[in-house]
Short mmCIF file of all heavy atoms in Angstrom, two decimals:
data_model
loop_
_atom_site.label_atom_id
_atom_site.label_comp_id
_atom_site.label_asym_id
_atom_site.label_seq_id
_atom_site.Cartn_x
_atom_site.Cartn_y
_atom_site.Cartn_z
N MET A 1 6.70 -28.09 0.56
CA MET A 1 6.40 -28.26 -0.82
C MET A 1 5.07 -27.70 -1.15
O MET A 1 4.90 -27.07 -2.25
CB MET A 1 6.22 -29.98 -1.05
CG MET A 1 5.84 -30.20 -2.46
SD MET A 1 5.90 -31.94 -2.62
CE MET A 1 4.97 -32.19 -4.13
N PHE A 2 4.09 -27.69 -0.25
CA PHE A 2 2.83 -27.19 -0.62
C PHE A 2 2.77 -25.68 -0.41
O PHE A 2 1.92 -24.83 -0.83
CB PHE A 2 1.60 -27.74 0.18
CG PHE A 2 1.44 -29.21 -0.23
CD1 PHE A 2 1.82 -30.22 0.69
CD2 PHE A 2 0.79 -29.60 -1.46
CE1 PHE A 2 1.62 -31.61 0.26
CE2 PHE A 2 0.66 -30.84 -1.76
CZ PHE A 2 1.08 -31.88 -0.89
N GLY A 3 3.68 -25.06 0.32
CA GLY A 3 3.85 -23.68 0.55
C GLY A 3 4.29 -22.94 -0.75
O GLY A 3 4.31 -21.85 -0.85
N LEU A 4 4.70 -23.70 -1.76
CA LEU A 4 5.23 -23.20 -3.05
C LEU A 4 4.23 -22.38 -3.69
O LEU A 4 4.43 -21.34 -4.33
CB LEU A 4 5.69 -24.38 -4.00
CG LEU A 4 6.25 -23.86 -5.28
CD1 LEU A 4 7.47 -23.14 -5.25
CD2 LEU A 4 6.49 -25.27 -6.14
N PHE A 5 2.96 -22.81 -3.63
CA PHE A 5 1.86 -22.23 -4.38
C PHE A 5 1.09 -21.13 -3.59
O PHE A 5 0.15 -20.58 -3.96
CB PHE A 5 0.88 -23.26 -4.97
CG PHE A 5 1.63 -24.20 -5.78
CD1 PHE A 5 1.87 -25.47 -5.55
CD2 PHE A 5 2.03 -23.74 -7.19
CE1 PHE A 5 2.56 -26.27 -6.36
CE2 PHE A 5 2.67 -24.62 -7.99
CZ PHE A 5 2.92 -25.87 -7.56
N LYS A 6 1.54 -21.05 -2.27
CA LYS A 6 0.82 -20.11 -1.36
C LYS A 6 1.21 -18.72 -1.66
O LYS A 6 2.50 -18.36 -1.73
CB LYS A 6 1.16 -20.47 -0.03
CG LYS A 6 0.29 -19.84 1.06
CD LYS A 6 0.63 -20.26 2.47
CE LYS A 6 -0.31 -19.64 3.44
NZ LYS A 6 -0.14 -20.08 4.85
N THR A 7 0.37 -17.84 -1.92
CA THR A 7 0.59 -16.49 -2.23
C THR A 7 1.00 -15.55 -0.90
O THR A 7 0.43 -15.88 0.10
CB THR A 7 -0.50 -15.73 -2.91
OG1 THR A 7 -1.63 -15.77 -2.13
CG2 THR A 7 -0.89 -16.36 -4.25
N ASP A 8 1.81 -14.65 -1.21
CA ASP A 8 2.20 -13.79 -0.02
C ASP A 8 1.25 -12.54 0.01
O ASP A 8 1.30 -11.67 -0.92
CB ASP A 8 3.70 -13.29 -0.33
CG ASP A 8 4.17 -12.52 0.88
OD1 ASP A 8 3.54 -12.51 1.95
OD2 ASP A 8 5.22 -11.92 0.79
N PRO A 9 0.40 -12.39 0.98
CA PRO A 9 -0.47 -11.35 1.04
C PRO A 9 0.22 -10.00 1.22
O PRO A 9 -0.31 -8.91 0.84
CB PRO A 9 -1.36 -11.61 2.33
CG PRO A 9 -0.43 -12.53 3.20
CD PRO A 9 0.40 -13.21 2.20
N THR A 10 1.38 -10.00 1.71
CA THR A 10 2.12 -8.56 1.80
C THR A 10 2.43 -8.02 0.50
O THR A 10 2.64 -6.80 0.35
CB THR A 10 3.38 -8.66 2.63
OG1 THR A 10 4.22 -9.73 2.16
CG2 THR A 10 2.99 -9.12 4.18
N LYS A 11 2.70 -8.85 -0.56
CA LYS A 11 3.00 -8.48 -1.84
C LYS A 11 1.89 -7.57 -2.46
O LYS A 11 2.17 -6.59 -3.12
CB LYS A 11 3.49 -9.44 -2.80
CG LYS A 11 4.75 -10.05 -2.57
CD LYS A 11 5.14 -11.18 -3.56
CE LYS A 11 6.48 -11.67 -3.31
NZ LYS A 11 6.79 -12.77 -4.41
N LYS A 12 0.65 -8.04 -2.30
CA LYS A 12 -0.49 -7.44 -2.83
C LYS A 12 -0.74 -6.02 -2.13
O LYS A 12 -1.02 -5.09 -2.75
CB LYS A 12 -1.75 -8.30 -2.74
CG LYS A 12 -2.96 -7.72 -3.30
CD LYS A 12 -4.09 -8.65 -3.14
CE LYS A 12 -5.37 -8.18 -3.83
NZ LYS A 12 -6.52 -9.07 -3.72
N LEU A 13 -0.58 -6.05 -0.81
CA LEU A 13 -0.65 -4.88 0.02
C LEU A 13 0.39 -3.84 -0.40
O LEU A 13 0.15 -2.66 -0.40
CB LEU A 13 -0.73 -5.16 1.49
CG LEU A 13 -1.98 -5.86 2.01
CD1 LEU A 13 -1.72 -6.20 3.51
CD2 LEU A 13 -3.08 -4.96 1.91
N GLN A 14 1.67 -4.25 -0.58
CA GLN A 14 2.81 -3.44 -0.89
C GLN A 14 2.50 -2.73 -2.19
O GLN A 14 2.63 -1.51 -2.30
CB GLN A 14 4.06 -4.18 -1.05
CG GLN A 14 5.28 -3.38 -1.17
CD GLN A 14 5.65 -2.42 -0.06
OE1 GLN A 14 5.38 -2.69 1.11
NE2 GLN A 14 6.28 -1.26 -0.56
N LYS A 15 2.08 -3.52 -3.09
CA LYS A 15 1.65 -2.83 -4.44
C LYS A 15 0.64 -1.77 -4.44
O LYS A 15 0.63 -0.71 -4.88
CB LYS A 15 1.23 -3.91 -5.37
CG LYS A 15 1.28 -3.56 -6.86
CD LYS A 15 1.00 -4.77 -7.69
CE LYS A 15 1.18 -4.33 -9.22
NZ LYS A 15 1.07 -5.46 -10.05
N ALA A 16 -0.51 -2.15 -3.50
CA ALA A 16 -1.53 -1.15 -3.37
C ALA A 16 -1.02 0.12 -2.59
O ALA A 16 -1.36 1.20 -2.94
CB ALA A 16 -2.65 -1.76 -2.54
N TYR A 17 -0.14 -0.18 -1.67
CA TYR A 17 0.60 0.91 -0.88
C TYR A 17 1.29 2.03 -1.85
O TYR A 17 1.19 3.16 -1.83
CB TYR A 17 1.42 0.33 0.24
CG TYR A 17 2.32 1.40 0.87
CD1 TYR A 17 1.77 2.32 1.78
CD2 TYR A 17 3.79 1.37 0.68
CE1 TYR A 17 2.57 3.28 2.50
CE2 TYR A 17 4.46 2.41 1.34
CZ TYR A 17 3.93 3.20 2.23
OH TYR A 17 4.75 4.12 2.91
N GLU A 18 2.08 1.35 -2.66
CA GLU A 18 2.85 2.08 -3.58
C GLU A 18 2.00 2.82 -4.60
O GLU A 18 2.39 3.94 -4.96
CB GLU A 18 3.85 1.22 -4.38
CG GLU A 18 5.02 0.75 -3.41
CD GLU A 18 5.94 -0.30 -4.11
OE1 GLU A 18 5.64 -0.67 -5.33
OE2 GLU A 18 6.73 -0.89 -3.46
N HIS A 19 0.96 2.27 -5.01
CA HIS A 19 0.01 2.86 -5.90
C HIS A 19 -0.69 4.13 -5.24
O HIS A 19 -0.86 5.16 -5.83
CB HIS A 19 -1.10 1.87 -6.37
CG HIS A 19 -2.09 2.46 -7.50
ND1 HIS A 19 -1.69 2.76 -8.67
CD2 HIS A 19 -3.29 2.74 -7.28
CE1 HIS A 19 -2.64 3.20 -9.33
NE2 HIS A 19 -3.88 3.22 -8.51
N LYS A 20 -1.09 3.95 -3.96
CA LYS A 20 -1.73 4.99 -3.20
C LYS A 20 -0.78 6.27 -3.08
O LYS A 20 -1.08 7.32 -3.25
CB LYS A 20 -2.21 4.52 -1.80
CG LYS A 20 -3.38 3.72 -1.87
CD LYS A 20 -4.59 4.56 -2.29
CE LYS A 20 -5.86 3.67 -2.04
NZ LYS A 20 -7.03 4.22 -2.69
N LEU A 21 0.57 5.96 -2.79
CA LEU A 21 1.54 6.96 -2.71
C LEU A 21 1.69 7.62 -4.05
O LEU A 21 1.90 8.90 -4.05
CB LEU A 21 2.88 6.45 -2.18
CG LEU A 21 2.91 6.01 -0.73
CD1 LEU A 21 4.21 5.51 -0.39
CD2 LEU A 21 2.55 7.12 0.20
N GLU A 22 1.69 6.94 -5.04
CA GLU A 22 1.80 7.58 -6.38
C GLU A 22 0.67 8.48 -6.72
O GLU A 22 0.79 9.61 -7.26
CB GLU A 22 1.87 6.41 -7.46
CG GLU A 22 2.10 6.99 -8.86
CD GLU A 22 3.45 7.50 -9.25
OE1 GLU A 22 4.37 6.98 -8.51
OE2 GLU A 22 3.51 8.30 -10.03
N GLN A 23 -0.58 7.92 -6.29
CA GLN A 23 -1.77 8.82 -6.65
C GLN A 23 -1.68 10.18 -5.63
O GLN A 23 -1.99 11.18 -6.14
CB GLN A 23 -2.98 8.12 -6.13
CG GLN A 23 -3.36 6.97 -7.21
CD GLN A 23 -4.63 6.25 -6.74
OE1 GLN A 23 -4.85 6.10 -5.44
NE2 GLN A 23 -5.37 5.76 -7.62
N ALA A 24 -1.13 10.02 -4.48
CA ALA A 24 -1.07 11.16 -3.47
C ALA A 24 -0.10 12.08 -4.16
O ALA A 24 -0.17 13.45 -4.14
CB ALA A 24 -0.61 10.71 -2.14
N MET A 25 1.10 11.66 -4.72
CA MET A 25 1.97 12.46 -5.30
C MET A 25 1.44 13.30 -6.50
O MET A 25 1.68 14.44 -6.57
CB MET A 25 3.19 11.71 -5.83
CG MET A 25 4.26 12.54 -6.41
SD MET A 25 5.65 11.65 -7.07
CE MET A 25 4.85 10.77 -8.45
N GLN A 26 0.62 12.62 -7.31
CA GLN A 26 -0.03 13.24 -8.47
C GLN A 26 -1.01 14.30 -8.04
O GLN A 26 -1.02 15.35 -8.58
CB GLN A 26 -0.67 12.17 -9.40
CG GLN A 26 0.31 11.33 -10.04
CD GLN A 26 1.32 11.96 -11.17
OE1 GLN A 26 0.86 12.99 -11.66
NE2 GLN A 26 2.45 11.55 -11.10
N ALA A 27 -1.73 13.92 -6.93
CA ALA A 27 -2.58 14.98 -6.39
C ALA A 27 -1.99 16.15 -5.96
O ALA A 27 -2.38 17.25 -6.10
CB ALA A 27 -3.52 14.31 -5.41
N ALA A 28 -0.80 15.98 -5.27
CA ALA A 28 -0.03 17.12 -4.73
C ALA A 28 0.50 17.99 -5.88
O ALA A 28 0.45 19.26 -5.84
CB ALA A 28 1.10 16.60 -3.87
N ARG A 29 0.97 17.27 -6.88
CA ARG A 29 1.45 17.97 -8.03
C ARG A 29 0.38 18.87 -8.72
O ARG A 29 0.56 19.95 -9.33
CB ARG A 29 1.98 17.09 -9.20
CG ARG A 29 3.40 16.65 -8.77
CD ARG A 29 3.95 15.73 -9.85
NE ARG A 29 5.29 15.19 -9.51
CZ ARG A 29 5.90 14.27 -10.19
NH1 ARG A 29 5.37 13.84 -11.34
NH2 ARG A 29 7.10 13.86 -9.79
N ASN A 30 -0.86 18.47 -8.72
CA ASN A 30 -1.97 19.15 -9.29
C ASN A 30 -2.53 20.11 -8.39
O ASN A 30 -3.48 20.90 -8.62
CB ASN A 30 -3.04 18.11 -9.70
CG ASN A 30 -2.75 17.19 -10.83
OD1 ASN A 30 -1.84 17.62 -11.62
ND2 ASN A 30 -3.24 16.07 -10.91
N GLY A 31 -1.99 20.20 -7.10
CA GLY A 31 -2.45 21.20 -6.21
C GLY A 31 -3.70 20.85 -5.35
O GLY A 31 -4.24 21.64 -4.72
N ASP A 32 -4.09 19.48 -5.47
CA ASP A 32 -5.30 19.15 -4.71
C ASP A 32 -4.69 18.44 -3.31
O ASP A 32 -4.49 17.34 -3.22
CB ASP A 32 -5.99 18.08 -5.53
CG ASP A 32 -7.34 17.72 -4.96
OD1 ASP A 32 -7.72 18.19 -3.81
OD2 ASP A 32 -8.11 16.90 -5.53
N MET A 33 -4.59 19.40 -2.38
CA MET A 33 -4.12 18.93 -1.07
C MET A 33 -5.00 18.13 -0.31
O MET A 33 -4.65 17.17 0.54
CB MET A 33 -3.63 20.14 -0.27
CG MET A 33 -2.47 20.86 -0.83
SD MET A 33 -1.09 19.78 -0.79
CE MET A 33 -0.35 20.13 -2.38
N ARG A 34 -6.31 18.31 -0.47
CA ARG A 34 -7.28 17.45 0.25
C ARG A 34 -7.17 15.94 -0.19
O ARG A 34 -7.04 15.01 0.51
CB ARG A 34 -8.69 17.92 0.05
CG ARG A 34 -9.07 19.12 0.85
CD ARG A 34 -10.39 19.52 0.75
NE ARG A 34 -10.65 20.68 1.46
CZ ARG A 34 -11.81 21.28 1.67
NH1 ARG A 34 -12.90 20.73 1.08
NH2 ARG A 34 -11.98 22.46 2.23
N ALA A 35 -7.04 15.77 -1.60
CA ALA A 35 -6.97 14.41 -2.14
C ALA A 35 -5.62 13.77 -1.57
O ALA A 35 -5.56 12.65 -1.35
CB ALA A 35 -7.09 14.41 -3.57
N ASN A 36 -4.66 14.61 -1.67
CA ASN A 36 -3.26 14.27 -1.22
C ASN A 36 -3.38 13.75 0.21
O ASN A 36 -2.72 12.60 0.54
CB ASN A 36 -2.25 15.31 -1.31
CG ASN A 36 -0.88 14.99 -0.84
OD1 ASN A 36 -0.48 13.82 -0.91
ND2 ASN A 36 -0.14 16.02 -0.38
N ALA A 37 -3.92 14.42 1.03
CA ALA A 37 -4.10 14.05 2.45
C ALA A 37 -4.78 12.74 2.68
O ALA A 37 -4.36 11.85 3.46
CB ALA A 37 -4.67 15.20 3.28
N SER A 38 -5.91 12.61 2.00
CA SER A 38 -6.71 11.44 2.16
C SER A 38 -6.06 10.23 1.58
O SER A 38 -6.10 9.19 2.12
CB SER A 38 -8.16 11.60 1.52
OG SER A 38 -7.96 11.67 0.25
N LEU A 39 -5.37 10.44 0.36
CA LEU A 39 -4.70 9.28 -0.17
C LEU A 39 -3.47 8.91 0.74
O LEU A 39 -3.08 7.62 0.89
CB LEU A 39 -4.21 9.68 -1.57
CG LEU A 39 -5.30 9.69 -2.62
CD1 LEU A 39 -4.76 10.30 -4.00
CD2 LEU A 39 -5.91 8.31 -2.88
N THR A 40 -2.77 9.77 1.26
CA THR A 40 -1.68 9.58 2.08
C THR A 40 -2.12 8.81 3.30
O THR A 40 -1.43 7.83 3.85
CB THR A 40 -0.88 10.85 2.53
OG1 THR A 40 -0.45 11.50 1.36
CG2 THR A 40 0.36 10.54 3.40
N GLU A 41 -3.18 9.16 3.87
CA GLU A 41 -3.81 8.44 5.03
C GLU A 41 -4.09 7.08 4.71
O GLU A 41 -3.87 6.12 5.55
CB GLU A 41 -5.14 9.28 5.46
CG GLU A 41 -5.66 8.73 6.77
CD GLU A 41 -6.87 9.52 7.23
OE1 GLU A 41 -7.08 10.54 6.82
OE2 GLU A 41 -7.58 8.96 8.02
N GLU A 42 -4.81 6.85 3.55
CA GLU A 42 -5.05 5.53 3.12
C GLU A 42 -3.81 4.68 2.94
O GLU A 42 -3.78 3.43 3.25
CB GLU A 42 -6.00 5.48 1.86
CG GLU A 42 -7.31 6.01 2.02
CD GLU A 42 -7.92 6.10 0.77
OE1 GLU A 42 -7.50 5.59 -0.28
OE2 GLU A 42 -8.89 7.00 0.58
N ALA A 43 -2.69 5.28 2.43
CA ALA A 43 -1.46 4.59 2.20
C ALA A 43 -0.87 4.14 3.58
O ALA A 43 -0.36 3.14 3.73
CB ALA A 43 -0.51 5.44 1.36
N GLU A 44 -0.89 5.16 4.56
CA GLU A 44 -0.38 4.85 5.88
C GLU A 44 -1.19 3.66 6.48
O GLU A 44 -0.56 2.87 7.15
CB GLU A 44 -0.36 6.03 6.68
CG GLU A 44 0.71 7.00 6.25
CD GLU A 44 2.06 6.61 6.11
OE1 GLU A 44 2.52 5.83 7.03
OE2 GLU A 44 2.71 6.78 5.08
N ALA A 45 -2.54 3.50 6.34
CA ALA A 45 -3.22 2.44 6.87
C ALA A 45 -2.72 1.15 6.25
O ALA A 45 -2.65 0.16 6.96
CB ALA A 45 -4.71 2.54 6.65
N LEU A 46 -2.53 1.17 4.92
CA LEU A 46 -2.04 0.01 4.25
C LEU A 46 -0.61 -0.35 4.84
O LEU A 46 -0.31 -1.63 4.98
CB LEU A 46 -1.93 0.10 2.71
CG LEU A 46 -3.22 0.23 2.02
CD1 LEU A 46 -2.92 0.66 0.52
CD2 LEU A 46 -3.90 -1.13 1.98
N ARG A 47 0.16 0.55 5.01
CA ARG A 47 1.50 0.43 5.62
C ARG A 47 1.40 -0.27 6.94
O ARG A 47 2.24 -1.18 7.29
CB ARG A 47 2.36 1.63 5.66
CG ARG A 47 3.81 1.45 6.01
CD ARG A 47 4.52 0.81 5.02
NE ARG A 47 5.71 0.26 5.45
CZ ARG A 47 6.36 -0.73 4.87
NH1 ARG A 47 6.06 -1.26 3.74
NH2 ARG A 47 7.51 -1.05 5.40
N ALA A 48 0.46 0.15 7.82
CA ALA A 48 0.34 -0.44 9.06
C ALA A 48 -0.11 -1.84 9.03
O ALA A 48 0.44 -2.79 9.84
CB ALA A 48 -0.67 0.41 9.83
N GLU A 49 -0.90 -2.16 7.95
CA GLU A 49 -1.41 -3.64 7.87
C GLU A 49 -0.26 -4.47 7.49
O GLU A 49 -0.05 -5.57 7.76
CB GLU A 49 -2.44 -3.60 6.85
CG GLU A 49 -3.02 -4.89 6.59
CD GLU A 49 -3.80 -5.51 7.76
OE1 GLU A 49 -4.28 -4.76 8.55
OE2 GLU A 49 -4.09 -6.76 7.65
N ILE A 50 0.57 -3.89 6.60
CA ILE A 50 1.76 -4.63 6.12
C ILE A 50 2.69 -5.03 7.28
O ILE A 50 3.19 -6.14 7.41
CB ILE A 50 2.56 -3.86 4.92
CG1 ILE A 50 1.68 -3.75 3.67
CG2 ILE A 50 3.88 -4.49 4.74
CD1 ILE A 50 2.22 -2.75 2.71
N ASP A 51 2.95 -4.02 8.06
CA ASP A 51 3.80 -4.09 9.31
C ASP A 51 3.21 -5.05 10.14
O ASP A 51 3.91 -6.07 10.79
CB ASP A 51 4.02 -2.86 9.99
CG ASP A 51 4.98 -1.85 9.16
OD1 ASP A 51 5.72 -2.30 8.21
OD2 ASP A 51 4.91 -0.69 9.43
N ARG A 52 1.99 -5.15 10.34
CA ARG A 52 1.24 -6.04 11.17
C ARG A 52 1.45 -7.41 10.75
O ARG A 52 1.62 -8.35 11.58
CB ARG A 52 -0.22 -5.73 11.44
CG ARG A 52 -1.00 -6.53 12.51
CD ARG A 52 -2.44 -6.30 12.42
NE ARG A 52 -3.13 -6.59 11.32
CZ ARG A 52 -3.41 -7.93 10.93
NH1 ARG A 52 -3.18 -8.96 11.80
NH2 ARG A 52 -4.21 -8.31 9.80
N LEU A 53 1.27 -7.62 9.39
CA LEU A 53 1.41 -9.12 8.87
C LEU A 53 2.85 -9.56 8.83
O LEU A 53 3.11 -10.75 9.18
CB LEU A 53 0.84 -8.96 7.46
CG LEU A 53 -0.60 -8.94 7.23
CD1 LEU A 53 -0.93 -8.79 5.67
CD2 LEU A 53 -1.32 -10.23 7.80
N LYS A 54 3.80 -8.68 8.80
CA LYS A 54 5.19 -9.01 8.86
C LYS A 54 5.62 -9.38 10.28
O LYS A 54 6.35 -10.37 10.37
CB LYS A 54 6.10 -7.90 8.30
CG LYS A 54 6.11 -7.89 6.85
CD LYS A 54 7.08 -6.86 6.35
CE LYS A 54 7.02 -6.85 4.74
NZ LYS A 54 8.01 -5.87 4.25
N LYS A 55 4.93 -8.84 11.22
CA LYS A 55 5.33 -9.20 12.63
C LYS A 55 4.72 -10.54 13.01
O LYS A 55 5.21 -11.17 13.91
CB LYS A 55 4.83 -8.12 13.58
CG LYS A 55 5.63 -6.79 13.45
CD LYS A 55 5.21 -5.76 14.48
CE LYS A 55 6.18 -4.64 14.34
NZ LYS A 55 5.76 -3.55 15.28
N GLY A 56 3.74 -10.95 12.33
CA GLY A 56 3.16 -12.27 12.72
C GLY A 56 1.70 -12.29 12.90
O GLY A 56 0.94 -12.92 13.22
#
């Protein structure tokens, strides 16, 4: 019953992950490969955190 109001931390991380990938795609379209690489690296770190939380 009390778990009803508990927020899921993976949802917030998933949204941030998708936002970083979107930013990386925009940087690649603009020709900024350094920004693309750094944003993709940040997105992959978020993805690893999501996977870690899902495993337990």
Side-chain angles (χ1 to χ4, degrees):
M1 179 173 161
F2 294 107
L4 176 67
F5 300 109
K6 191 173 185 179
T7 59
D8 186 13
T10 57
K11 284 185 180 182
K12 185 176 181 180
L13 288 174
Q14 182 67 30
K15 194 170 187 178
Y17 171 71
E18 290 171 4
H19 184 69
K20 287 288 181 189
L21 286 179
E22 182 73 27
Q23 287 178 329
M25 180 187 65
Q26 291 298 326
R29 284 184 178 173
N30 292 334
D32 191 356
M33 290 299 136
R34 286 186 184 183
N36 178 29
S38 67
L39 288 167
T40 303
E41 184 179 342
E42 291 174 20
E44 291 305 316
L46 286 171
R47 186 70 196 160
E49 181 69 18
I50 291 169
D51 291 342
R52 187 185 67 78
L53 286 174
K54 283 186 178 181
K55 287 184 180 177

